Amino acid sequence: MHRLGGETGLSRRLVIVTALILAIAAAAAAMYLHLAVPGVAVARPVRGQAVEAIYATGVVEPVIWAKVTPMLRGRIMELCKCEGATIGKGHVLARLDDAEERARVAELEARAEFLEGDMRRYARLLEGNHVSAQTYQRAASAYAEIRAVIAAERSRLNDFTIGAPIAGQVLRRDGEVGEIVDSDDVLFWVGEPKPLWIIAEVDEEDIARVRVGQRALIKADAFPERVLEGTVETITPKGDPINKSFRVRIALPDDTPLLIGMTTEINIVVAVVEDALLVPADAVKDGRVFVIDDGRARERQVRTGIVSPAAVQIIDGLAAGEQVIEGPPAGLSDGQRVRPRRAR
């Protein structure tokens, strides 16, 4: 009886060990199958608006404005503190140091006075036939010549005073008193704060599809949560052969929150399809998608329409109720078993 009980205990231990081995083997097999079958993200096609747009960047500028630069090189002696103020045409914005020029005019005036005296003296002598007419003419000519030089120098004196070329608001002021500026240095921007538009550069490959009146969707860093709108106002007929782009002006509504000088990203809408069948952009590669069919990936040829960074329009080859694989993993083959991770 003791021996029989020992054999029974041994049998029970063998059964337990066998069960543990089978459980471990089953777990290992399950783990192997889990690792061998790749998980994939899936999505269902949705119906919505397909929008095709052309991307560009641009800067907000006033429609009416002017840059104010000096006419000549000089040192700033006066600079109006009028940034943001509304001014009239001709309003004095700055003065350059004209001391040297005024000294030259004074010198020329003194020379002219001397020549005028000579001319009058020769005129009296000519009346008494004490000098020739040619002598008098030379004196008169010298006097006329210096008066012309004085007139030109006095006119040049006006260039030391910098006035507003148009009426409007002083949008910005640069430069400081004492600074030496040249004719290509912009000291002021004067213009009307409204209306505004965006000066954008569109790639020459895309410009043929841009038309006046098209809607433009605008993003700016200052308003990250908002999509603003504008309208294509003008297209410059001649492109830039260096940058291979064309200048396009996007008109903005008067209530736009954009400010002068802001940089923007623009999408000019060139085509819209309503009620389009859409799938995530990363689900389509070379005109093909993978769909889920009974736990397996099936490669499918599709015909696409409008393509955007977020979605692709499917014209043919896919039904609305099917599941497509987003971003198919490298090496995924037709008929391979997969595990859908999520659906939407």
Side-chain angles (χ1 to χ4, degrees):
M1 293 293 294
H2 178 70
R3 182 179 177 183
L4 183 60
E7 290 177 352
T8 301
L10 179 60
S11 298
R12 288 176 178 173
R13 285 195 295 273
L14 289 173
V15 170
I16 293 172
V17 171
T18 302
L20 287 173
I21 291 173
L22 291 174
I24 292 171
M31 180 62 70
Y32 172 78
L33 289 174
H34 181 79
L35 294 175
V37 178
V40 293
V42 296
R44 294 187 185 278
V46 297
R47 290 282 178 182
Q49 187 183 71
V51 177
E52 184 176 7
I54 289 174
Y55 178 81
T57 60
V59 178
V60 179
E61 293 184 1
V63 174
I64 301 171
W65 72 302
K67 297 177 182 178
V68 183
T69 62
M71 296 293 293
L72 41 76
R73 179 180 174 84
R75 187 182 300 278
I76 300 173
M77 298 303 292
E78 295 180 23
L79 204 61
C80 80
K81 297 180 179 179
C82 51
E83 199 170 48
T86 299
I87 60 173
K89 182 178 179 179
H91 182 91
V92 176
L93 300 172
R95 297 185 193 275
L96 302 181
D97 185 2
D98 60 357
E100 185 176 336
E101 186 66 18
R102 288 189 179 279
R104 172 170 168 74
V105 170
E107 181 182 343
L108 289 170
E109 289 282 9
R111 176 66 176 164
E113 185 177 352
F114 174 80
L115 291 176
E116 185 182 16
D118 267 358
M119 183 185 68
R120 292 182 185 278
R121 182 165 58 86
Y122 285 132
R124 291 193 299 269
L125 291 173
L126 180 62
E127 290 177 359
N129 293 321
H130 297 297
V131 295
S132 66
Q134 290 83 359
T135 301
Y136 169 76
Q137 287 297 333
R138 282 196 297 270
S141 177
Y143 176 69
E145 183 178 343
I146 199 168
R147 292 312 307 178
V149 173
I150 290 172
E153 292 298 324
R154 285 192 177 278
S155 177
R156 188 169 183 270
L157 270 173
N158 294 330
D159 294 340
F160 288 82
T161 300
I162 301 171
I166 61 173
Q169 187 181 53
V170 179
L171 304 172
R172 177 167 168 162
R173 187 201 82 174
D174 281 328
E176 296 295 338
V177 172
E179 182 180 355
I180 295 177
V181 292
D182 217 327
S183 56
D184 57 352
D185 293 322
V186 180
L187 297 182
F188 293 88
W189 283 256
V190 178
E192 297 293 340
K194 300 289 181 179
L196 301 177
W197 57 16
I198 296 173
I199 309 298
E201 297 294 331
V202 175
D203 194 284
E204 65 178 17
E205 294 180 358
D206 300 321
I207 195 63
R209 305 187 64 195
V210 178
R211 298 285 184 273
V212 171
Q214 288 174 331
R215 187 163 60 112
L217 307 178
I218 304 160
K219 291 285 289 182
D221 290 342
F223 309 99
E225 304 301 323
R226 298 179 62 179
V227 177
L228 307 171
E229 291 200 14
T231 305
V232 175
E233 179 85 2
T234 63
I235 303 168
T236 301
K238 182 182 182 304
D240 182 343
I242 304 300
N243 296 319
K244 296 185 177 181
S245 64
F246 280 74
R247 183 168 296 163
V248 175
R249 291 175 171 85
I250 310 295
L252 298 171
D254 284 344
D255 60 353
T256 181
L258 295 172
L259 301 177
I260 298 169
M262 282 186 173
T263 58
T264 60
E265 294 183 334
I266 305 153
N267 283 286
I268 300 172
V269 178
V270 297
V272 177
V273 175
E274 303 291 345
D275 196 34
L277 189 66
L278 304 174
V279 298
D282 62 355
V284 183
K285 185 177 181 181
D286 299 328
R288 297 178 179 275
V289 299
F290 280 98
V291 298
I292 301 292
D293 183 12
D294 194 25
R296 295 183 182 275
R298 297 296 181 185
E299 193 173 29
R300 182 84 58 79
Q301 181 78 39
V302 293
R303 186 159 63 95
T304 60
I306 292 176
V307 178
S308 73
V312 174
Q313 177 195 7
I314 302 299
I315 297 175
D316 190 29
L318 188 66
E322 294 184 285
Q323 289 182 321
V324 297
I325 298 176
E326 291 189 68
L332 184 65
S333 59
D334 184 45
Q336 184 176 348
R337 186 172 293 279
V338 291
R339 290 181 296 102
R341 287 203 304 264
R342 59 184 174 86
R344 62 182 187 197

